[in-house]
Amino acid sequence: MITLQNVSKSFSQFEAIKSVNLTIEKGEIHGLIGASGAGKSTLLRLMNLLELPDTGDVEVNGQTLTRLSAKELRRARKSIGMIFQHFHLVANKTVFDNVAVALQLAGSRKSDIRLRVLECLQFVGLEKMAEKYPAQLSGGQKQRVAIARALANNPQVLLCDEPTSSLDPNTTAEILTVLNNINQQLGVTIVFVSHEMDVVKKICSRVSVMSEGEIYETVTIEPLGIQAIDNRPEYFVQQLKRDGE
Amino acid sequence: MQIMLQYEAEIWQSIGETFVMVGVSILAAILIGLPVGTFLFLCRKGQLLENRYVFSVLNLLVNVIRSFPFLLLVVFLIPFTRLLLGTAIGTAAATVPLSIIAIAHYSRLVEQSLLDVPKGVLEAAVSMGASVREIIFKFLYIEARSGLVLGLTTSIISFISYSTIMGVVGGGGIGDFAIRYGYQQFQTELMMYMIIIMVILVQLIQFTGTTVSRVIDKR
Ligand SMILES: Nc1ncnc2c1ncn2[C@@H]1O[C@H](COP(=O)(O)OP(=O)(O)O)[C@@H](O)[C@H]1O
Ligand SMILES: [Mg+2]
């Protein structure tokens, strides 16, 4: 589904990505983990050419992105969704319009847009919030809107750059569940960047560990799944007392 | 008040001249200043159309125009105005230097409003496959709209101020009237009334601009 071949990227003198080879299979949830500054975001951004590689080829959905014209690249990007740590919603557009814009860019008909937006909002459980503005939503809700926007054009691939890193544990579990559903029910291949080991272990089936611009090793794991988080006060007390012993 | 009635026709005419001069300046600001400001922003380092040369040229041009004492700019532009309109005298001719300063003034404020748009929003737009044109109209202007309106408000008030000296090229307007009939003919009362009209006008514009920008700001 995604193939990086000898891809490298420097920022002025600094080599952020050093000749990386990586293949991500169709249907995987592939984790990219590593310390801050390891090059995770840069590697992810190379997968939709938000960063242009200095060398090497990037292939997604059977298309070699690095050989496309500007116009073809824009078209290809419509089937590669992306979400971010800080959501990057348009604050002056309603939830509905934030999702609708993705469809407008793809040239969908107005009547189709309405149906598809509501369908996507329903998938992330926000159909009641359509007329609200992002400022009126919680962090988790904003990330759901971003997910709905990324899904609008039925992407084959979803790129996630630390999508849960500014969320609390409860909300993180909710977002991970949504991402898992997208992978299981819609068959979307997911690349998941995170610096949090426990988050990666929950949903990823393969994880590439990054260090200093290189992939140190890629490990196949059995995803642990997402446990419901215990919010009962007696649970907190019990945990505190146990840790004290 | 008696004196106002005495000069009623001249006052209305001068108000009309101010509206023409400021109106044309506003049009120039929107039709040319907005695109110039957008290019200033997009050609900056790290932005979508990063281009050092285009940026430097536009930036220099805007700075030079804005650093001219306005009266000197008007005089300096007389040959250009004459070339364009066949005359350098009158209200129509006065709109030429006013439009030029209007473009330079508003384009700088546009650039600054656009700089306030979070970079990530534009990045999300690129990741969705938006073209530069789509990014400008569907993301940039939407996210920056309250700043663009506030900037235009500030600009319009400056245009009114600039328009008051256009008497030097026979442009007329409220300011010119106040000087010729009020100051130079020692009719202080008349001059005061003209100043009051200007103050009310500026207050109205500022109030409208602030209100609109607040209503359309959902951030
Ligand atoms: N646009 C950029 N300009 C300069 N340096 C950058 C840029 N983007 C990333 N880097 C550098 O590249 C390295 C890797 O960054 P990044 O991919 O964001 O790391 P990670 O996401 O793993 O924390 C860092 O040292 C960072 O400072
Ligand atoms: Mg990062």
Side-chain angles (χ1 to χ4, degrees), chain B residues 145-167:
Chain B
R145 64 192 184 188
S146 57
L148 293 174
V149 168
L150 274 186
L152 188 62
T153 309
T154 306
S155 287
I156 293 172
I157 291 168
S158 302
F159 303 164
I160 292 177
S161 173
Y162 288 133
S163 78
T164 57
I165 65 146
M166 295 317 289

Side-chain angles (χ1 to χ4, degrees), chain A residues 15 30 32-33 41 66 68 95 119 168 173 183 196 208 215 238:
Chain A
E15 251 191 311
H30 194 106
L32 289 179
I33 195 166
S41 296
T66 31
L68 298 182
V95 165
E119 199 172 52
D168 63 61
N183 175 254
E196 295 168 304
S208 295
I215 293 184
Q238 183 197 341

Side-chain angles (χ1 to χ4, degrees), chain A residues 1-4 21-25 28 30 206 208 218:
Chain A
M1 181 54 59
I2 303 176
T3 312
L4 304 181
N21 287 292
L22 176 65
T23 302
I24 295 173
E25 305 295 342
E28 272 193 72
H30 194 106
R206 277 209 307 160
S208 295
T218 298

Side-chain angles (χ1 to χ4, degrees), chain A residues 76-95:
Chain A
R77 278 178 175 150
K78 284 162 193 160
S79 49
I80 309 174
M82 189 168 201
I83 59 173
F84 308 85
Q85 179 175 358
H86 298 295
F87 329 120
H88 301 335
L89 299 175
V90 181
N92 280 333
K93 283 187 198 281
T94 60
V95 165

Side-chain angles (χ1 to χ4, degrees), chain A residues 35-42 45 85 161-162 193 195:
Chain A
S36 178
K40 308 179 294 291
S41 296
T42 306
R45 294 157 56 82
Q85 179 175 358
D161 194 356
E162 309 248 9
V193 167
H195 65 275

Side-chain angles (χ1 to χ4, degrees), chain B residues 15-30:
Chain B
I15 290 178
E17 287 159 354
T18 293
F19 271 68
V20 169
M21 290 190 285
V22 174
V24 173
S25 308
I26 294 172
L27 276 181
I30 293 174

